[in-house]
Structures are given as structure tokens and as C-alpha cells.
Amino acid sequence: MPKSYADILREVRGQIREVTPTQVAPLVADRGLADPSAPLFVDVRERYEWEEGHIPGAVHVPRGHLEAQVEFAVPDRARPLIVYCAGGWRSALAAKVLGEMGYTDVVNMEGGFQVWKSAGLPWVKPTVLSADQKRRYSRHLLIPEVGLEGQSRLLGSKVLLIGAGGLGSPAALYLAAAGVGTIGIVDFDVVDESNLQRQVVHTTDRIGVKKTESAAASIRALNPDVRVVGHDEMLTEENVERLIADYDVILDGTDTFETRYTLNDAAVGLGKTVIHASVFRFEGQLTVFTPFEGPCYRCLYPTPPPPELAPGCSVAGVLGVVPGIMGLLQANEVLKVLLGIGDTLAGRLLIFDALDGTFRELRLRRDPACPTCGETATAAREAAATPAAVPAVEAAAGVDR
Amino acid sequence: MSHVRIPPVLRASAGGNKVVDIEAATVGEALRALATQYPGLQQQLWGEDGTLNRFVNVYLNDQDIRYLAELETPVTLNDTIVVLPAMAGGAAP
């Protein structure tokens, strides 16, 4: 006997579990994919509906492509899924199919996004990529962990490169290619012929040009989406906080201990993640300093070596590809931090040996007595921040001083 | 024999060697023997007061000896001691 749409729906709703928007609203996560055990909202509407607004952290798998795409979007069949569409009908059918595909914990959200929105529950409007951007970033859009949401996040992100040298050059090019929306570059130097053996963001015809300008020219030629902010100055204790304050992540490609300590101390104070690398001849080191989650640079090395015991690249030399490889590994860490995916190298030091072709990993720990991020230093910083608040409170209370 | 891995910045002071094999019972013993064998390393590794320089970190296999038994950390056959001084080496200028 032929079945009507109403018959099918009635039958399906008898076979699935359903919840209301207000029941599942507390499960909204800022970033659904970041926590693999958290319930995940699956939006099965068409693309034009998704682009008008969706539940934060949801993944988008249109009903028409559900069977073909869901295994890529949600590989874990045991993950709790909350399926929704505009009114709850398409998602009912989707929930049934997901059950048949072996997803074990699937519920349909009754009333769909319409009821969700009219109940005043949180929703976001995704950044809509232009047709050009969809083509340019298509290989990112195909990866579920990046996708439209991740790409939008990258386009809205700000990364600061300290130095447009051997490490900063490859990082600048690949971060620009990846569509990181704002790239700041701190460098006061000009392009020298001896830089070109490894600093691939610069070109022969720009010898003598400021590195910030030279890097900006290459970045713009590669990706006009990227806004380049040149900071044509040396990073010092006086300007470091101003320079780093507006950025999400800092990529440290400097070559002096003084700059590394200055950057470290300010970054810990402002809670900024620093992606750290250094190179020497055939070897490179890499780690991520995430304030208070892992160690900071001072936890590792409370004091710098005397200058005579610490030759830099200009004295010792470096195989050009080594900063290339390490700079790209830095860019990889930047992208993971911005996208909130994977495990960063916080608490791990990666050592690359180009001659052996090996990577070695060492465990790093926070030093509880660290003068920058240890308990005493943190308490002192907080205490120093408090007195400023007292006059403000008094002013608000109308205290006449 | 335990293997002491010499970082690139110190290789010139260690006869150009990348790894030096040393018979020792503790990390401290191994590093003192290393500096005896290659006197150029003495100042790089050890302070005048006989303590390890604070700009040099030492790892037994992948663990920082500061969080083990420091220089008294025992070493066994085929352990690798990694000596890692702070490197300035960025890539600019």
C-alpha cells in the first residue's frame, strides 16, 4: 500500500528519540568538534539556510548528502548527535538514517531551528565566503576539521611574526596561503643578499628594501585576502605589549636572547601563545609556550648564556632548508591553535636533525618557581593590577580624594 | 656505556662529535667525565662553583633531570643523555 509523506513521518517519529530545543540548549559548545566526547549538533538543512544562521559549533551535512558525507564529518559513531533542520521533519528522516548507519546515540530536535531561534537561544551567522574564496580554500573546506567554519575563523585571525627571516619567511607564505586574515610583521631590517639562501619571502630585486615591505609584497601577490601590518621597529621592553596586544598568536622567529625573554615575559602577562623555534646549522628546535598551561621560555632557561657561549646563525651558518622546515612546523602549530584542533607542542620540545633525518621529542615542564609564570610571579602581577581598580571603584562611588 | 648527545653549538668543543659514549653511574659523573675528556666544554657546562650552568638543560632520555634526581640521576646501559643549551639561533637577520 502506498504511503503518504504524513504516513512516513508518523512511522519514522515512532522509531526515533526526540528532544526540544530548550532541553538541549545547555549542550551548545563554542566549538563542537574540539571536544570529541561532547554532543554534536548536526544541521541537515540546505547551504543557503545554514548561511542564514545556525547553532554554534554545529556541523553542516545537508540531508541530500547525508549518507555520503556524514562518515567524514562525524567518524565516531558512538558520539551523541542532535540532528536538526528548519522545522524538525527533514531531521527526523535524517535521524532514522543515522540510526541505520550505526550511529548509536541520535536524537531529533523537535521544531528545528525555527523554534530554537524564536526561543531566543544562541545562534551564529557564518561568514559567507565569496565564490573566489570557495575556490581558493576548497582543499581546506573539504577537511571536516577546518571546513567553512574553520576557514572563516582563519580569515578573522591575527598572527604576529616576530622577524621576517628564515623562520618567518616560510611561515608568512603558508599562513597567507591558508587565509590567515591579518599577518603582522615585526622587523626593522632590510633585505640583504645573504638572506636569500633561506628567507624565501624576499626576492633578489628587493635587496635593500625594508623586510616588512618586501614580505608584504610577496604576501599580497600570493593572497589578496590577507591584510599585512608592518611594524618596522625593533621589539623592545617599551613597545612589546603594544605590538602583541592585538594578535591571537605570536610566532617567534627572532635570533637574540634579549628579544626572546622580552617577548616571553610580555606574552605570559597578556596570556598570548608563542610558537617558538630556533635553528643552528643542521638542527632546529620547536615548542609552543601556552601561558599557564605549559612551561614558558624562562621555565626552561631562567638565564641566557653569556654572549661568547652563544653564537647565532650569522656566525655559525645554517642549512637553508632547516629554518624552512622549522618555520613551517611553526605555521602548523599556529593553524592548530587558531582552529582549536589537534595537540600542540606545549610541554614538548621537538628537535629536528637534518643530517640524520630524525625528530626527537623531549618533555618540558612548568617550573613552579619560574620568575615569570610561577605562582609567586603570578600573584605579584595580580597584586600589581589591583591598586588601579581601587580608585576606579572610589570614583564610581563618588569618593572625593 | 651511556650515550651523551652533544648539541651542535658544543660540537666544536667536543672534537666534532655528535655523540660521546661514557661509562658513568650518574648523569653528573658522565658530564664531569665529558668535560675532563674535552676541556673546552668545562666552561660551557659547569659554573665556577661546580654547578651545572643554568642555561644548559640536561635530559635523560626524554626527561629533564631537574625533575628526576638532578645530577645524581642514575644512568644505565644505553641511556641517552641530551645536553641542550639555550639556542639564540633564529633565522633573522
Side-chain angles (χ1 to χ4, degrees):
Chain A
M1 184 179 146
K3 289 178 190 168
S4 68
Y5 174 55
D7 294 335
I8 293 171
L9 264 184
R10 204 170 24 251
E11 204 175 290
V12 166
R13 293 188 71 187
Q15 296 167 359
I16 59 172
R17 288 185 296 137
E18 296 194 292
V19 291
T20 63
T22 41
Q23 280 176 305
V24 289
L27 302 175
V28 168
D30 173 48
R31 185 94 183 110
L33 283 169
D35 176 1
S37 63
L40 187 65
F41 286 84
V42 180
D43 187 321
V44 298
R45 298 173 301 159
E46 298 301 311
R47 173 150 301 283
Y48 72 90
E49 298 173 281
W50 165 268
E51 288 175 356
E52 287 300 308
H54 63 79
I55 295 175
V59 294
H60 180 225
V61 189
R63 171 75 186 90
H65 298 290
L66 184 71
E67 294 86 344
Q69 292 182 358
V70 72
E71 290 171 298
F72 298 105
V74 190
D76 178 8
R77 282 174 155 79
R79 187 156 182 187
L81 300 181
I82 303 154
V83 190
Y84 74 93
C85 61
W89 310 122
R90 281 173 285 172
S91 53
L93 301 172
K96 178 168 183 281
V97 168
L98 289 171
E100 288 166 2
M101 290 180 75
Y103 287 87
T104 54
D105 188 357
V106 183
V107 294
N108 176 41
M109 192 173 87
E110 264 184 286
F113 189 61
Q114 284 163 3
V115 171
W116 177 279
K117 216 169 143 183
S118 55
L121 296 170
W123 59 281
V124 289
K125 189 164 178 169
T127 309
V128 179
L129 301 187
S130 68
D132 284 350
Q133 288 175 322
K134 281 181 187 164
R135 281 193 297 275
R136 177 181 287 270
Y137 305 117
S138 65
R139 298 302 187 276
H140 273 173
L141 301 180
L142 288 167
I143 311 173
E145 289 83 350
V146 184
L148 193 65
E149 195 187 334
Q151 189 61 53
S152 305
R153 201 174 262 239
L154 293 181
L155 287 163
S157 295
K158 297 176 176 179
V159 175
L160 183 66
L161 310 178
I162 313 289
L167 295 164
S169 284
L173 289 172
Y174 272 84
L175 292 174
V180 169
T182 302
I183 296 179
I185 301 167
V186 181
D187 205 313
F188 62 93
D189 218 342
V190 295
V191 179
D192 183 83
E193 201 171 1
S194 68
N195 299 150
L196 299 174
Q197 161 257 19
R198 63 201 177 284
Q199 301 182 17
V200 294
V201 80
H202 308 299
T203 56
T204 306
D205 62 352
R206 295 203 290 264
I207 289 170
V209 173
K210 284 178 183 169
K211 281 190 174 177
T212 50
E213 284 176 22
S214 168
S218 292
I219 290 171
R220 284 193 202 102
L222 176 60
N223 188 350
D225 279 347
V226 180
R227 186 171 72 101
V228 184
V229 183
H231 303 280
D232 192 20
E233 53 195 313
M234 187 191 276
L235 186 117
T236 64
E237 272 180 35
E238 285 68 43
N239 65 13
V240 62
E241 290 197 1
R242 167 175 61 79
L243 285 172
I244 70 175
D246 281 345
Y247 291 91
D248 301 313
V249 182
I250 321 293
L251 188 147
D252 179 7
T254 54
D255 70 338
T256 70
F257 284 109
E258 199 182 348
T259 317
R260 289 200 192 270
Y261 284 106
T262 302
L263 174 63
N264 178 73
D265 296 352
V268 170
L270 294 175
K272 305 278 180 187
T273 295
V274 175
I275 317 289
H276 169 100
S278 60
V279 293
F280 188 94
R281 294 193 172 158
F282 296 101
E283 291 195 22
Q285 300 179 7
L286 177 77
T287 188
V288 173
F289 296 123
T290 307
F292 311 112
E293 283 181 27
C296 78
Y297 190 62
R298 262 189 218 278
C299 292
L300 299 192
Y301 299 109
T303 53
E308 67 275 13
L309 298 183
C313 276
S314 50
V315 183
V318 65
L319 191 71
V321 294
V322 173
I325 289 162
M326 302 314 288
L328 282 190
L329 286 171
Q330 283 181 292
N332 180 47
E333 295 300 309
V334 168
L335 294 178
K336 288 192 299 183
V337 171
L338 294 177
L339 293 167
I341 57 175
D343 294 318
T344 70
L345 281 167
R348 295 183 286 157
L349 181 77
L350 194 68
I351 301 176
F352 172 61
D353 183 325
L355 287 179
D356 290 351
T358 54
F359 286 94
R360 173 187 286 272
E361 202 178 290
L362 302 175
R363 296 275 145 192
L364 306 179
R365 297 197 200 194
R366 270 184 82 185
D367 179 357
C370 172
T372 301
C373 78
E375 284 162 25
T376 313
T378 307
R381 198 179 296 112
E382 280 165 9
T386 317
V390 175
V393 171
E394 287 175 354
V399 174
D400 189 10
R401 292 172 70 94
Chain B
M1 291 288 236
S2 50
H3 316 293
V4 184
R5 193 181 170 281
I6 312 294
V9 283
L10 300 186
R11 274 177 211 157
S13 310
N17 288 307
K18 200 168 190 168
V19 177
V20 176
D21 291 339
I22 287 178
E23 197 84 56
T26 65
V27 171
E29 216 175 89
L31 296 182
R32 283 188 201 97
L34 183 71
T36 307
Q37 195 175 339
Y38 299 105
L41 289 176
Q42 178 65 35
Q43 198 196 352
Q44 306 265 8
L45 298 179
W46 298 99
E48 284 174 13
D49 59 355
T51 59
L52 198 64
N53 283 328
R54 274 313 287 121
F55 55 87
V56 177
N57 285 341
V58 178
Y59 300 80
L60 181 69
N61 301 319
D62 68 343
Q63 297 289 335
D64 191 329
I65 61 160
R66 280 192 282 170
Y67 303 102
L68 299 171
E70 307 211 2
L71 292 170
E72 300 309 314
T73 306
V75 290
T76 52
L77 197 68
N78 287 327
D79 271 343
T80 298
I81 297 168
V82 179
V83 178
L84 211 63
M87 289 208 302

mmCIF file of all heavy atoms in Angstrom, chain A residues 223-242:
data_model
loop_
_atom_site.group_PDB
_atom_site.id
_atom_site.type_symbol
_atom_site.label_atom_id
_atom_site.label_comp_id
_atom_site.label_asym_id
_atom_site.label_seq_id
_atom_site.Cartn_x
_atom_site.Cartn_y
_atom_site.Cartn_z
ATOM 1 N N ASN A 223 48.130 36.167 -1.836
ATOM 2 C CA ASN A 223 46.736 36.121 -1.380
ATOM 3 C C ASN A 223 46.217 37.513 -1.005
ATOM 4 O O ASN A 223 46.519 38.015 0.084
ATOM 5 C CB ASN A 223 46.610 35.180 -0.171
ATOM 6 C CG ASN A 223 45.163 34.941 0.217
ATOM 7 O OD1 ASN A 223 44.258 35.620 -0.293
ATOM 8 N ND2 ASN A 223 44.942 33.995 1.115
ATOM 9 N N PRO A 224 45.436 38.115 -1.876
ATOM 10 C CA PRO A 224 44.937 39.475 -1.599
ATOM 11 C C PRO A 224 43.945 39.544 -0.436
ATOM 12 O O PRO A 224 43.617 40.634 0.029
ATOM 13 C CB PRO A 224 44.254 39.878 -2.916
ATOM 14 C CG PRO A 224 44.039 38.618 -3.675
ATOM 15 C CD PRO A 224 45.027 37.608 -3.193
ATOM 16 N N ASP A 225 43.467 38.385 0.066
ATOM 17 C CA ASP A 225 42.592 38.382 1.243
ATOM 18 C C ASP A 225 43.304 38.864 2.503
ATOM 19 O O ASP A 225 42.662 39.250 3.479
ATOM 20 C CB ASP A 225 42.109 36.947 1.554
ATOM 21 C CG ASP A 225 40.944 36.528 0.666
ATOM 22 O OD1 ASP A 225 40.365 37.409 0.003
ATOM 23 O OD2 ASP A 225 40.634 35.321 0.644
ATOM 24 N N VAL A 226 44.634 38.733 2.505
ATOM 25 C CA VAL A 226 45.391 38.949 3.743
ATOM 26 C C VAL A 226 45.760 40.418 3.918
ATOM 27 O O VAL A 226 46.272 41.054 2.995
ATOM 28 C CB VAL A 226 46.685 38.094 3.753
ATOM 29 C CG1 VAL A 226 47.477 38.318 5.034
ATOM 30 C CG2 VAL A 226 46.346 36.626 3.577
ATOM 31 N N ARG A 227 45.481 40.933 5.105
ATOM 32 C CA ARG A 227 45.907 42.287 5.446
ATOM 33 C C ARG A 227 47.260 42.161 6.136
ATOM 34 O O ARG A 227 47.397 41.390 7.092
ATOM 35 C CB ARG A 227 44.896 42.906 6.415
ATOM 36 C CG ARG A 227 45.137 44.375 6.733
ATOM 37 C CD ARG A 227 43.965 44.932 7.520
ATOM 38 N NE ARG A 227 43.943 44.427 8.885
ATOM 39 C CZ ARG A 227 44.377 45.120 9.939
ATOM 40 N NH1 ARG A 227 44.864 46.325 9.785
ATOM 41 N NH2 ARG A 227 44.315 44.605 11.154
ATOM 42 N N VAL A 228 48.253 42.871 5.615
ATOM 43 C CA VAL A 228 49.589 42.809 6.214
ATOM 44 C C VAL A 228 49.842 44.093 6.990
ATOM 45 O O VAL A 228 49.626 45.184 6.475
ATOM 46 C CB VAL A 228 50.685 42.643 5.140
ATOM 47 C CG1 VAL A 228 52.054 42.492 5.790
ATOM 48 C CG2 VAL A 228 50.379 41.439 4.256
ATOM 49 N N VAL A 229 50.259 43.923 8.244
ATOM 50 C CA VAL A 229 50.578 45.088 9.067
ATOM 51 C C VAL A 229 52.079 45.054 9.346
ATOM 52 O O VAL A 229 52.569 44.136 10.006
ATOM 53 C CB VAL A 229 49.795 45.058 10.406
ATOM 54 C CG1 VAL A 229 50.089 46.314 11.216
ATOM 55 C CG2 VAL A 229 48.301 44.921 10.147
ATOM 56 N N GLY A 230 52.794 46.012 8.800
ATOM 57 C CA GLY A 230 54.236 46.064 9.008
ATOM 58 C C GLY A 230 54.581 46.879 10.250
ATOM 59 O O GLY A 230 54.084 47.996 10.412
ATOM 60 N N HIS A 231 55.363 46.293 11.128
ATOM 61 C CA HIS A 231 55.851 47.029 12.309
ATOM 62 C C HIS A 231 57.357 47.167 12.106
ATOM 63 O O HIS A 231 58.116 46.259 12.438
ATOM 64 C CB HIS A 231 55.551 46.262 13.597
ATOM 65 C CG HIS A 231 54.085 45.946 13.791
ATOM 66 N ND1 HIS A 231 53.193 46.868 14.268
ATOM 67 C CD2 HIS A 231 53.378 44.813 13.565
ATOM 68 C CE1 HIS A 231 51.987 46.312 14.343
ATOM 69 N NE2 HIS A 231 52.072 45.067 13.920
ATOM 70 N N ASP A 232 57.753 48.298 11.542
ATOM 71 C CA ASP A 232 59.131 48.495 11.149
ATOM 72 C C ASP A 232 59.950 48.990 12.330
ATOM 73 O O ASP A 232 60.423 50.118 12.346
ATOM 74 C CB ASP A 232 59.145 49.522 10.000
ATOM 75 C CG ASP A 232 60.489 49.593 9.313
ATOM 76 O OD1 ASP A 232 61.262 48.631 9.452
ATOM 77 O OD2 ASP A 232 60.756 50.609 8.662
ATOM 78 N N GLU A 233 60.050 48.162 13.338
ATOM 79 C CA GLU A 233 60.759 48.566 14.557
ATOM 80 C C GLU A 233 61.322 47.348 15.252
ATOM 81 O O GLU A 233 60.932 46.214 14.969
ATOM 82 C CB GLU A 233 59.803 49.325 15.502
ATOM 83 C CG GLU A 233 58.517 48.591 15.816
ATOM 84 C CD GLU A 233 57.448 49.485 16.450
ATOM 85 O OE1 GLU A 233 57.778 50.221 17.383
ATOM 86 O OE2 GLU A 233 56.285 49.421 16.012
ATOM 87 N N MET A 234 62.217 47.591 16.169
ATOM 88 C CA MET A 234 62.810 46.511 16.938
ATOM 89 C C MET A 234 61.905 46.235 18.140
ATOM 90 O O MET A 234 61.379 47.171 18.734
ATOM 91 C CB MET A 234 64.196 46.933 17.415
ATOM 92 C CG MET A 234 64.980 45.826 18.093
ATOM 93 S SD MET A 234 66.468 46.462 18.917
ATOM 94 C CE MET A 234 67.605 46.503 17.560
ATOM 95 N N LEU A 235 61.689 44.967 18.449
ATOM 96 C CA LEU A 235 60.868 44.628 19.608
ATOM 97 C C LEU A 235 61.654 44.930 20.889
ATOM 98 O O LEU A 235 62.767 44.428 21.066
ATOM 99 C CB LEU A 235 60.489 43.148 19.551
ATOM 100 C CG LEU A 235 59.513 42.686 20.618
ATOM 101 C CD1 LEU A 235 58.219 42.213 19.972
ATOM 102 C CD2 LEU A 235 60.096 41.568 21.455
ATOM 103 N N THR A 236 61.097 45.791 21.731
ATOM 104 C CA THR A 236 61.789 46.171 22.963
ATOM 105 C C THR A 236 60.821 46.064 24.144
ATOM 106 O O THR A 236 59.620 45.875 23.940
ATOM 107 C CB THR A 236 62.269 47.636 22.902
ATOM 108 O OG1 THR A 236 61.109 48.482 22.813
ATOM 109 C CG2 THR A 236 63.179 47.889 21.725
ATOM 110 N N GLU A 237 61.370 46.227 25.331
ATOM 111 C CA GLU A 237 60.506 46.189 26.527
ATOM 112 C C GLU A 237 59.454 47.295 26.474
ATOM 113 O O GLU A 237 58.357 47.140 26.992
ATOM 114 C CB GLU A 237 61.355 46.349 27.789
ATOM 115 C CG GLU A 237 61.879 45.022 28.302
ATOM 116 C CD GLU A 237 62.721 45.189 29.557
ATOM 117 O OE1 GLU A 237 62.400 46.069 30.381
ATOM 118 O OE2 GLU A 237 63.711 44.443 29.679
ATOM 119 N N GLU A 238 59.802 48.411 25.817
ATOM 120 C CA GLU A 238 58.889 49.561 25.779
ATOM 121 C C GLU A 238 57.697 49.316 24.842
ATOM 122 O O GLU A 238 56.591 49.751 25.114
ATOM 123 C CB GLU A 238 59.629 50.835 25.319
ATOM 124 C CG GLU A 238 60.532 51.448 26.386
ATOM 125 C CD GLU A 238 61.739 50.584 26.713
ATOM 126 O OE1 GLU A 238 62.362 50.042 25.760
ATOM 127 O OE2 GLU A 238 62.047 50.396 27.912
ATOM 128 N N ASN A 239 57.952 48.641 23.708
ATOM 129 C CA ASN A 239 56.853 48.525 22.731
ATOM 130 C C ASN A 239 56.223 47.136 22.659
ATOM 131 O O ASN A 239 55.245 46.942 21.944
ATOM 132 C CB ASN A 239 57.339 48.961 21.333
ATOM 133 C CG ASN A 239 58.403 48.032 20.773
ATOM 134 O OD1 ASN A 239 58.625 46.940 21.276
ATOM 135 N ND2 ASN A 239 59.066 48.461 19.711
ATOM 136 N N VAL A 240 56.778 46.157 23.401
ATOM 137 C CA VAL A 240 56.333 44.776 23.193
ATOM 138 C C VAL A 240 54.837 44.573 23.460
ATOM 139 O O VAL A 240 54.145 43.919 22.683
ATOM 140 C CB VAL A 240 57.206 43.778 24.015
ATOM 141 C CG1 VAL A 240 57.091 44.033 25.514
ATOM 142 C CG2 VAL A 240 56.824 42.338 23.698
ATOM 143 N N GLU A 241 54.334 45.181 24.529
ATOM 144 C CA GLU A 241 52.914 44.956 24.858
ATOM 145 C C GLU A 241 52.015 45.565 23.786
ATOM 146 O O GLU A 241 51.025 44.963 23.379
ATOM 147 C CB GLU A 241 52.590 45.514 26.242
ATOM 148 C CG GLU A 241 53.248 44.689 27.334
ATOM 149 C CD GLU A 241 52.652 44.928 28.706
ATOM 150 O OE1 GLU A 241 51.705 45.724 28.818
ATOM 151 O OE2 GLU A 241 53.151 44.309 29.665
ATOM 152 N N ARG A 242 52.370 46.754 23.327
ATOM 153 C CA ARG A 242 51.586 47.386 22.261
ATOM 154 C C ARG A 242 51.611 46.524 20.998
ATOM 155 O O ARG A 242 50.588 46.342 20.337
ATOM 156 C CB ARG A 242 52.166 48.790 21.965
ATOM 157 C CG ARG A 242 51.630 49.415 20.679
ATOM 158 C CD ARG A 242 52.122 50.848 20.487
ATOM 159 N NE ARG A 242 53.566 50.988 20.375
ATOM 160 C CZ ARG A 242 54.254 50.729 19.254
ATOM 161 N NH1 ARG A 242 53.637 50.300 18.170
ATOM 162 N NH2 ARG A 242 55.559 50.899 19.229
#
